[in-house]
Amino acid sequence: MAVQQNKKSRSRKGMRRSHDRVAVPAVIYCSCGEPTVPHSVCPNCGTYKGRQVVAKGAGNE
């Protein structure tokens, strides 16, 4: 079993853990005002990059 030879300081521990945070998801707002994930079709209105891709109400059933 591995045993540390010296105590790691709070500063070094913090530097090691600096990348362990939970990533905040990117959110954009569609032209309809609904928040959505970038590079994806809006689940509310079915548009992508200003054009209608999915018929409204499709896939809800």
Side-chain angles (χ1 to χ4, degrees), residues 3-58:
V3 179
Q4 68 182 19
Q5 296 297 310
N6 298 83
K7 180 179 177 176
K8 302 295 185 263
S9 67
R10 280 176 268 164
S11 174
R12 193 167 293 275
K13 179 175 64 173
M15 285 189 277
R16 186 182 70 245
R17 293 180 180 176
S18 67
H19 302 285
D20 292 346
R21 64 189 177 278
V22 176
V24 178
V27 175
I28 61 163
Y29 290 94
C30 179
S31 58
C32 68
E34 189 74 16
T36 183
V37 183
H39 306 287
S40 63
V41 178
C42 176
N44 187 39
C45 62
T47 59
Y48 179 69
K49 289 192 175 180
R51 38 179 212 266
Q52 192 69 29
V53 179
V54 181
K56 187 172 182 179

